Amino acid sequence: MLAKVLSGALNGIEAFPVDVEVDIAQGLPQFATVGLPEGAVRESKDRVKSAIKNSGYDFPTRRITINLAPADMKKEGTAYDLPMAIGILAAIGIVKSENIRKYVLIGELSLDGLVKPVRGTLPLAVAARHWQTEGLIVPWENAAEGAIVEALPVYGVRDLAEVVEFINGEKILSPHQCSHEQNLEALPAGCDDFSEVRGQDHVKRALEVAAAGGHNLLMIGPPGSGKTMLARRLPTILPPLNFEEALETTKIHSIIGLLPKENALLNVRPFRSPHHTISDAGLIGGGAIPRPGEVSLANNGILFLDELPEFKKNVLEMLRQPLEDGHVTIARAATTLSFPATFMLVAAMNPCKCGFLGDFNNLCTCTPHDIQRYRQRLSGPLLDRIDLQIDVPRVPHKDLADPVEGESSATIRARVEAARTIQRERLAPYGLHANAAMAARHIRKFCPLDEAGQKLLEMVVDKLGMSARSYSRILKVARTIADLAGDESIRQQYLAEAIQYRGLDRKNY
């Protein structure tokens, strides 16, 4: 007796179809799973056997062989429990075999037959649109996530018996409905706001420029000057996620299992802040079966690295590829996977090891050698990839005690969105969305300078010994400042502002 059930597996953030082939033959009782199953898949035989018995069905005492095809791709996770159980029940005639090929099934089974949620439902639903199927059967808790893809009916189920009755036509289930009318533009309730920040006007201006162009940012200042506070408010002035960005971001969080239960679709840009003890695999991604790291979880959002020099140097150097390419490629002996990693890098650091260099209220105890060694933890190539480098001094008491609130995040966000609109219209033919993504050919076309601007930039580049990458970053930032002003030309004052955001270039450094 042979039965086939359609399921799916993940390869990075994409999914591919898996045929769960169940053969029940005469012989000594045995349950064998083949097709490169990893530990959780091999252990499914005990869950499936108990779930079938406790759901009121007879488990066949024969030789059972289950093949997960294609057999040359590794299978992991517990999502094959449900298709295995349905395949066994179809092979012994309890489930109508002619109906099981109509659906894609995923789900983990508990010992009493309940269907538990699994990871990766959204990527599977996105891919299943192109398979020959009439619907997707998933755990009830995953139904809203899968229903984001409106082109495919998604049925949420609670237990094994309900699945059997539905496939046999004994019970009618309605496809789960997920409204796309959720407000992706609204800020989360109770979030931090820029109106609460006292002083630091030049830093808030730099954050606005960074948000408007999607630029990377480094803040340097003593402890307690507000670097972390400012960074955590940056998401409140970023433009809202569009549906494509939200879908891509949600897929990454879905395969990791970090998708909030109350949100089928992430509606705010992610803000990831890993600790400085993180490993290279934790930051970039990796493992025996590669999984996304923090740079991918921050996709379409912000990766905040506090105390930047405290991170391991080899970990920081691995940021070079995603900062340039917008994706991470992880190669293993058996497979090579690519994960999206388009994020804004926002970092904070002290000016020296003790943190009080240049602070008028506290004496710095570091020797020149200590200062140089501390700063040399950051390589020149990494600093070149950071567009804005800002000094964040300690806030004086008169600013802290000032009762007048500053500009709200909503006000700043409106200017950022206006600048982003200009950039999208300009860069749409090239598939880009922000000035930070411009390549050399785009810079030559969209960042022309007049004679005064050329002389100013030539003088600065020669004096500071800037690299070609720093030169390009200055032009990108100047283009963003002009967009914030609604100006088509890059005037000298915009260029001068962009230049003063390069405080750590090497001769100064």
Side-chain angles (χ1 to χ4, degrees):
M1 294 176 285
L2 178 68
K4 292 185 179 181
V5 181
L6 183 60
S7 186
L10 297 176
N11 185 32
I13 64 169
E14 306 300 330
F16 61 91
V18 173
D19 280 324
V20 181
E21 302 172 342
V22 180
D23 177 67
I24 301 180
Q26 297 291 341
L28 293 175
Q30 184 181 1
F31 195 126
T33 304
V34 297
L36 289 183
E38 55 89 44
V41 182
R42 291 194 299 269
E43 292 175 352
S44 63
K45 61 182 181 180
D46 298 314
R47 295 191 296 271
V48 169
K49 182 176 181 179
S50 296
I52 290 177
K53 287 184 175 180
N54 293 325
S55 297
Y57 306 109
D58 292 329
F59 188 84
T61 54
R62 299 180 184 179
R63 181 183 179 89
I64 302 174
T65 303
I66 296 181
N67 178 46
L68 305 177
D72 60 343
M73 299 287 288
K74 285 188 176 181
K75 318 300 187 308
E76 62 166 342
T78 57
Y80 303 104
D81 290 3
L82 182 59
M84 284 182 181
I86 293 298
I88 292 172
L89 294 176
I92 61 177
I94 295 177
V95 175
K96 295 180 180 179
S97 299
E98 64 272 16
N99 293 340
I100 59 175
R101 295 295 292 179
K102 296 180 181 179
Y103 305 102
V104 178
L105 287 84
I106 59 170
E108 176 185 341
L109 289 175
S110 64
L111 299 184
D112 59 357
L114 294 178
V115 182
K116 294 183 176 182
V118 295
R119 295 181 285 109
T121 301
L122 179 57
L124 180 63
V126 172
R129 293 179 299 176
H130 309 292
W131 305 345
Q132 293 182 352
T133 180
E134 296 180 9
L136 181 64
I137 298 177
V138 302
W140 177 260
E141 290 86 346
N142 296 127
E145 179 185 342
I148 294 173
V149 185
E150 295 181 332
L152 185 70
V154 176
Y155 302 93
V157 295
R158 293 181 173 85
D159 55 55
L160 179 60
E162 186 177 27
V163 180
V164 172
E165 293 172 359
F166 173 64
I167 294 177
N168 286 339
E170 300 169 0
K171 184 174 183 177
I172 298 176
L173 296 179
S174 299
H176 198 92
Q177 301 296 324
C178 180
S179 174
H180 289 169
E181 297 177 356
Q182 60 177 311
N183 191 2
L184 290 174
E185 298 184 2
L187 293 174
C191 66
D192 297 325
D193 196 278
F194 266 93
S195 62
E196 302 164 348
V197 179
R198 298 293 184 264
Q200 307 289 25
D201 291 336
H202 71 291
V203 185
K204 288 189 282 187
R205 167 64 177 176
L207 290 171
E208 180 180 340
V209 172
H215 301 289
N216 302 321
L217 174 75
L218 172 63
M219 294 180 284
I220 309 105
S225 58
K227 302 185 295 295
T228 303
M229 177 199 66
L230 287 162
R232 293 193 177 278
R233 282 162 173 74
L234 184 56
T236 65
I237 64 173
L238 289 175
L241 286 167
N242 58 42
F243 180 72
E244 289 74 20
E245 290 176 330
L247 190 64
E248 183 181 57
T249 304
T250 305
K251 285 170 66 176
I252 298 172
H253 285 71
S254 174
I255 64 176
I256 290 292
L258 295 179
L259 193 62
K261 292 183 179 180
E262 64 275 8
N263 290 333
L265 185 69
L266 293 178
N267 58 359
V268 293
R269 294 188 179 274
F271 181 91
R272 304 295 299 182
S273 180
H275 193 260
H276 65 263
T277 57
I278 192 171
S279 66
D280 50 0
L283 186 65
I284 302 299
I289 299 177
R291 293 184 178 278
E294 290 291 336
V295 295
S296 296
L297 291 172
N299 186 54
N300 294 319
I302 294 173
L303 177 67
F304 177 53
L305 303 182
D306 202 2
E307 303 297 340
L308 186 65
E310 301 299 330
F311 285 78
K312 298 175 184 177
K313 191 167 185 177
N314 68 301
V315 173
L316 292 179
E317 293 305 306
M318 297 185 77
L319 287 172
R320 293 192 195 181
Q321 185 211 358
L323 286 175
E324 289 291 332
D325 301 337
H327 66 269
V328 171
T329 301
I330 302 173
R332 293 292 181 268
T335 185
T336 298
L337 297 179
S338 182
F339 297 107
T342 303
F343 59 91
M344 281 180 60
L345 174 62
V346 179
M349 62 177 284
N350 296 330
C352 64
K353 188 174 182 179
C354 75
F356 297 116
L357 179 66
D359 190 349
F360 296 106
N361 297 326
N362 297 277
L363 180 65
C364 175
T365 59
C366 300
T367 65
H369 178 69
D370 292 336
I371 297 171
Q372 183 181 20
R373 186 170 59 180
Y374 178 77
R375 293 183 173 182
Q376 283 180 343
R377 296 179 184 178
L378 306 179
S379 67
L382 179 61
L383 289 175
D384 278 349
R385 288 170 168 82
I386 298 177
D387 304 352
L388 292 88
Q389 303 156 358
I390 310 300
D391 287 323
V392 185
R394 189 180 301 277
V395 183
H397 176 266
K398 63 172 183 157
D399 289 339
L400 290 174
D402 189 355
V404 179
E405 290 190 346
E407 280 189 310
S408 67
S409 292
T411 302
I412 301 174
R413 191 186 197 197
R415 295 197 296 266
V416 169
E417 290 182 11
R420 284 287 184 106
T421 300
I422 294 173
Q423 294 167 46
R424 281 195 300 270
E425 293 174 354
R426 180 194 302 128
L427 300 173
Y430 306 93
L432 305 178
H433 63 278
N435 288 334
M438 289 193 296
R441 63 184 183 276
H442 308 125
I443 294 174
R444 286 193 296 270
K445 183 173 183 178
F446 299 120
C447 303
L449 300 178
D450 56 20
E451 184 177 353
Q454 288 282 11
K455 289 182 178 179
L456 174 62
L457 194 54
E458 179 182 358
M459 178 185 66
V460 171
V461 169
D462 291 342
K463 184 175 181 180
L464 298 181
M466 290 182 175
S467 67
R469 188 178 287 112
S470 296
Y471 174 85
S472 299
R473 303 281 170 173
I474 289 175
L475 290 176
K476 291 180 184 181
V477 174
R479 177 71 269 170
T480 298
I481 296 171
D483 291 339
L484 279 169
D487 201 332
E488 294 183 2
S489 303
I490 299 180
R491 304 187 186 276
Q492 192 172 6
Q493 62 265 33
Y494 307 149
L495 191 62
E497 183 179 351
I499 291 170
Q500 61 96 18
Y501 291 137
R502 300 295 305 181
L504 284 184
D505 275 304
R506 281 188 290 278
K507 282 192 177 178
N508 255 0
Y509 189 46

